[in-house]
Amino acid sequence: MGNQDKINELIEKRAKAKLGGGEKRIDSQHAKGKLTARERIDLLLDDNSFEEFDMFVTHRTKSFGLDKEIYLSDGVVTGHGTIDGRIVYIFAQDFTVFGGSLSETYALKICKVMDMAMKIGVPVIGLNDSGGARIQEGVRSLAGYAEIFQRNIMASGVIPQISSILGPCAGGAVYSPALTDFTIMTDQTSYMFVTGPKVVQSVTGEIVTAEQLGGATIHSTKSGVSHFLAEDDKENLLIIRKLLSYLPSNNLEDPPTITTSDPIDRLDDVLNTIIPESANQAYDILDVISTITDNGEFLEVHRNYARNIVVGFARFNGRSVGIVANQPKFYAGVLDSDSSRKAARFVRMCDAFNVPIVTLVDVPGFLPGTGQEYGGIILHGAKLLFAYGEATVPKVTITLRKSYGGAHDVMSCKQLRGDLNYAWPTAEIAVMGAKGAVEVLEGSNISKIEDAIEKLHYIEEKENEYNTKFANPYVAAKYGFIDDVIEPRNTRFRIIRALELLANKKEVNPPKKHSNIPL
Ligand code: HXC
């Protein structure tokens, strides 16, 4: 074979590899509204930046007739490329080859990508679309998954790991995405479950569809497994690009900063009137967020899950921050188990990747009741408390309105190493609301009053007294728990100045093997 023939052979092999499981299966993938692995990579990465490796890897299984069914790449496309000019490693499962199922060699390819990403200190992105363990490979496939899990665990908190779910993801295979920082699911074409509908029916008798059991909507609203719900593959991949723009490449770097044309001293008069006159009236915290961030931009994480708290990424004067904010529009912004877990995970992720945290507080307290207590609100609330107290990134807290009881402490208060704690003049920082306080403190006096009108007047008088004395920011400010009471319209500027001040903050936790967060 002459040199040119050898080159031609290479070109042919490459072309064959790029066809994956063949034209027919590619057509079938398209017919389902899905893109192929290579199309996804091309869409995700900067133009012409993808460099593939292990294209010539094939499986080693001889039984079940597989020795006659061999595909170059073996069902997963791996390599590296750039996103906004920054290096990322990637693997994309190719459903056209054995339904994207995972073989021993396929797992080795993914592990290589993960090892390289760790060595270099760059994010790893997994595009999942797979029928799970390759049945013909048996336990070698299970071992392959475990090799990946171990690497997910070691990479956690070192490099960002992002999982897109763009098709099936079932059985133990779900645990790799679950171990990563973010999971993004595509509506209608992706699903995740530990056991599929057939097993569910045979074990429990319950009849459910794949969509009802583990579709993108379920995991974005009920379980919280998915951080984002994308309309289609294209949007799914766009979310990855957006997410990475807020994150550093690894835990030793700071997130990228960008220049912004949004003035740092922009005054937002609307904020001076955004808090309703009545304490029971709601407003949308997203309106506050979009008023203060650079260009009003906010990448909300877990948008449809535990909506009484809002978390997501934004920028202040080009600096990336994580925002955690109670949402008065849903359940009055109360803290419950789900919202505590949601926020705790976000706070820890920000801390792991050096993203400062801005906390906007308007919280009436923890949700009372047996439902919450039986569900372990004590432990879940403790997660958020722990996450804030452990975090060493810059922490700026603004109390807009309510900040009551245990929830006050949890929401990044001064004593949990809040670096700068500001309050609006509308803030109410106290042990409990006036109504509850009067019931507890005045209960015996109230019961002695026989006349109903007189009783109401007494209660009203005591509640007013309590409100005047305690439901304001000045008691906390008197003790230095609040560093300053600020005019609402000046919030953007004060946050920017705080973040600049704290840019070189150094805070170190005592050496330990690891903490024992109440899981
Ligand atoms: C080998 C598989 C496969 C698998 C699919 N295929 N799953 N090959 N191992 N796990 C092959 C099919 O034979 C078919 O080959 C092609 O992929 C496409 O599959 P279809 O069934 O035609 O596609 P579709 O109708 O879209 O259904 C997709 C599917 C279904 C829902 C994923 O294939 C399915 O249920 N597969 C089995 C899923 C499963 O039980 N996996 C094991 C889970 S347990 P041809 O040649 O016809 O194109 C697990 C343990 C992990 O994964 C443990 C980790 C700790």
Side-chain angles (χ1 to χ4, degrees):
M1 203 191 258
N3 284 351
Q4 190 53 50
D5 292 332
K6 288 179 183 171
I7 292 167
N8 289 345
E9 185 192 19
L10 170 67
I11 293 168
E12 261 172 49
K13 274 181 183 285
R14 280 192 190 282
K16 203 170 165 202
K18 284 184 179 169
L19 273 181
E23 299 277 9
K24 227 175 106 193
R25 292 193 181 95
I26 292 176
D27 291 345
S28 150
Q29 180 84 344
H30 287 156
K32 289 177 193 157
K34 291 161 54 173
L35 299 172
T36 65
R38 284 192 171 78
E39 286 166 348
R40 288 167 177 160
I41 290 175
D42 282 348
L43 258 180
L44 172 65
L45 301 180
D46 295 342
D47 287 348
N48 300 318
S49 70
F50 182 53
E51 205 165 290
E52 184 170 347
F53 43 62
D54 285 345
M55 189 187 243
F56 306 112
V57 165
T58 55
H59 68 73
R60 297 164 188 164
T61 304
K62 298 212 163 27
S63 47
F64 300 101
L66 281 202
D67 50 338
K68 294 186 193 66
E69 207 178 342
I70 288 175
Y71 301 91
L72 294 176
S73 298
D74 197 31
V76 63
V77 183
T78 58
H80 60 84
T82 59
I83 289 181
D84 292 332
R86 299 160 72 206
I87 299 168
V88 296
Y89 274 81
I90 184 162
F91 64 87
Q93 300 177 333
D94 181 355
F95 192 81
T96 68
V97 176
F98 300 116
S101 59
L102 183 137
S103 70
E104 182 187 16
T105 46
Y106 175 128
L108 285 173
K109 284 183 66 173
I110 295 180
C111 289
K112 189 193 267 188
V113 161
M114 297 177 82
D115 291 342
M116 290 296 288
M118 278 289 272
K119 261 190 227 174
I120 295 167
V122 296
V124 66
I125 298 164
L127 307 184
N128 296 265
D129 186 359
S130 163
R134 190 167 303 165
I135 296 162
Q136 299 92 330
E137 295 229 355
V139 290
R140 282 179 296 148
S141 169
L142 297 187
Y145 272 115
E147 292 283 0
I148 296 169
F149 299 157
Q150 183 61 41
R151 281 167 177 78
N152 285 136
I153 296 161
M154 291 299 104
S156 183
V158 180
I159 52 173
Q161 302 181 82
I162 300 180
S163 304
S164 273
I165 315 296
L166 303 143
C169 183
V174 296
Y175 287 112
S176 178
L179 292 167
T180 63
D181 298 300
F182 295 100
T183 297
I184 308 161
M185 292 185 76
T186 300
D187 199 17
Q188 302 301 324
T189 50
S190 72
Y191 48 87
M192 297 176 81
F193 33 67
V194 173
T195 48
K198 282 186 191 145
V199 178
V200 170
Q201 190 179 354
S202 69
V203 175
T204 69
E206 192 184 1
I207 298 170
V208 278
T209 63
E211 186 63 28
Q212 288 164 337
L213 186 62
T217 304
I218 290 299
H219 285 312
S220 308
T221 54
K222 278 192 188 306
S223 73
V225 166
S226 177
H227 297 83
F228 296 94
L229 169 64
E231 238 174 60
D232 52 23
D233 282 6
K234 212 170 159 187
E235 196 195 3
N236 192 313
L237 302 169
L238 193 67
I239 293 170
I240 300 180
R241 290 185 68 97
K242 276 193 194 161
L243 254 179
L244 286 177
S245 75
Y246 291 100
L247 295 171
S249 291
N250 60 64
N251 65 332
L252 300 178
E253 291 178 6
D254 284 329
T257 51
I258 59 168
T259 47
T260 177
S261 54
D262 196 352
I264 60 168
D265 53 357
R266 174 164 58 76
L267 292 178
D268 303 295
D269 288 333
V270 66
L271 295 180
N272 278 5
T273 53
I274 205 161
I275 301 290
E277 289 298 332
S278 157
N280 295 329
Q281 246 179 299
Y283 59 95
D284 192 344
I285 197 69
L286 290 171
D287 290 339
V288 175
I289 294 171
S290 63
T291 305
I292 58 179
T293 59
D294 287 359
N295 306 313
E297 285 169 3
F298 181 53
L299 178 62
E300 191 173 352
V301 178
H302 267 144
R303 177 186 295 168
N304 299 309
Y305 174 70
R307 300 181 75 180
N308 35 334
I309 206 156
V310 168
V311 301
F313 296 100
R315 290 191 184 84
F316 284 96
N317 196 21
R319 279 181 210 279
S320 176
V321 302
I323 294 183
V324 179
N326 308 113
Q327 170 59 291
K329 215 176 130 187
F330 289 96
Y331 307 119
V334 75
L335 276 178
D336 59 2
S337 296
D338 288 348
S339 59
S340 299
R341 283 193 301 117
K342 165 176 162 177
R345 179 148 174 82
F346 185 73
V347 166
R348 296 194 97 215
M349 186 280 311
C350 287
D351 190 46
F353 292 114
N354 310 318
V355 180
I357 300 162
V358 172
T359 305
L360 305 177
V361 183
D362 188 344
V363 63
F366 277 99
L367 184 62
T370 49
Q372 289 296 310
E373 296 294 349
Y374 296 175
I377 180 77
I378 295 174
L379 292 177
H380 299 306
K383 289 181 177 76
L384 182 53
L385 176 61
F386 199 112
Y388 268 124
E390 191 183 38
T392 55
V393 286
K395 289 180 280 189
V396 180
T397 308
I398 317 280
T399 303
L400 280 56
R401 187 170 60 170
K402 298 170 196 169
S403 183
Y404 283 114
H408 161 77
D409 275 11
V410 169
M411 293 300 296
S412 199
C413 71
K414 192 61 156 176
Q415 292 73 19
L416 291 182
R417 304 195 298 192
D419 294 303
L420 283 162
N421 292 60
Y422 297 133
W424 286 5
T426 42
E428 305 163 22
I429 305 171
V431 173
M432 62 172 74
K435 194 169 175 296
V438 170
E439 268 167 29
V440 174
L441 299 178
E442 298 289 333
S444 59
N445 289 340
I446 293 168
S447 63
K448 283 181 206 148
I449 306 172
E450 278 168 21
D451 181 75
I453 304 276
E454 206 182 308
K455 193 181 267 202
L456 275 180
H457 278 147
Y458 184 79
I459 292 172
E460 200 181 329
E461 186 193 317
K462 287 292 164 191
E463 282 183 8
N464 285 340
E465 194 182 318
Y466 185 91
N467 271 329
T468 314
K469 265 196 194 151
F470 298 107
N472 61 61
Y474 299 106
V475 183
K478 187 171 99 177
Y479 294 109
F481 304 158
I482 289 293
D483 297 298
D484 197 8
V485 181
I486 65 171
E487 206 183 328
R489 65 184 189 141
N490 212 8
T491 303
R492 171 176 164 78
F493 179 64
R494 296 301 290 261
I495 291 176
I496 288 173
R497 210 155 56 177
L499 292 170
E500 263 157 30
L501 191 73
L502 295 166
N504 294 321
K505 174 193 170 185
K506 291 271 174 292
E507 192 156 51
V508 182
N509 291 331
K512 52 180 124 175
K513 189 168 175 192
H514 57 70
S515 58
N516 191 13
I517 186 164
L519 293 173

